[in-house]
Amino acid sequence: MPLARVHKVLAVILLGAAGPVQAQSSALKPPVLQRDLTLGCESCTGPLQFGNIWELALSPTGEMVVVDRDAPMIREFDADGRARWQGGRKGQGPGEYLLVLRAPYADNGNLVVADMTGRRVTSLGVDRKVAKTTPLTMFATSAGADARGTLAL
C-alpha cells in the first residue's frame, strides 16, 4: 500500500476514533495513539526488509500478511511481529506472481492471493502451499476484500 494511502486510511481511523460530535461539547479531546508494534527497519535483512509495501492484511487472531513488490512478495508475521512465513517471487508458475494486489485471510486460515497482472487468484493453504489457482477471464483493475477473505474484483 503506497505511503500516501496509509496516511489517508490513518486519517479516516483517527476521525472515526474521535467519536460523534456532541452539541454541548465545546472541545473534543484528540485520540491518543500508541505504538504497539513495528515491522521492518532501515538496516533489516530477510523478511523484515521491505521494498514497496502494497497491502497489509490482518487475521482475526492478529497475524499479519504484508504484500511487497519485491521478493519475497508475501510475508506473514505472528501477532507479536515475528516472521512466520515468506514466499512468492516474480513469475507465472505455482507460487509466483506478477502483481499481487490483495492477499486477505479466508475464514479457514488460507490466504487468497489476487495476482492482477497474472490474471489469477491463488489460494494458499494453512501450510502456505498452493492449494488452488483460479484463472481470471477478465483483467481486473482493482480488488477489495471483506473480513472473511472474500475478494471483489
Side-chain angles (χ1 to χ4, degrees), residues 33-47:
L33 299 179
Q34 176 180 324
R35 183 183 303 213
D36 287 335
L37 181 67
T38 300
L39 293 175
C41 65
E42 291 183 31
S43 60
C44 293
T45 60

Side-chain angles (χ1 to χ4, degrees), residues 131-144:
K132 181 180 178 183
T133 299
T134 305
L136 299 175
T137 57
M138 77 326 198
F139 183 79
T141 57
S142 64

Side-chain angles (χ1 to χ4, degrees), residues 3-97:
L3 189 57
R5 188 152 181 202
V6 172
H7 288 198
K8 290 178 185 175
V9 171
L10 183 58
V12 170
I13 292 169
L14 290 177
L15 289 174
V21 177
Q22 299 186 13
Q24 67 269 27
S25 174
S26 61
L28 292 175
K29 293 182 181 179
V32 177
L33 299 179
Q34 176 180 324
R35 183 183 303 213
D36 287 335
L37 181 67
T38 300
L39 293 175
C41 65
E42 291 183 31
S43 60
C44 293
T45 60
L48 291 175
Q49 184 178 12
F50 299 111
N52 187 358
I53 296 174
W54 192 252
E55 162 84 332
L56 172 68
L58 300 172
S59 79
T61 54
E63 291 90 358
M64 296 160 275
V65 167
V66 178
V67 173
D68 197 316
R69 293 291 171 93
D70 296 333
M73 299 173 88
I74 304 169
R75 304 149 197 226
E76 185 174 31
F77 300 89
D78 68 14
D80 294 321
R82 289 184 296 267
R84 288 177 51 173
W85 177 85
Q86 59 185 346
R89 63 177 185 256
K90 290 276 186 198
Q92 297 181 18
E96 297 177 334
Y97 310 98

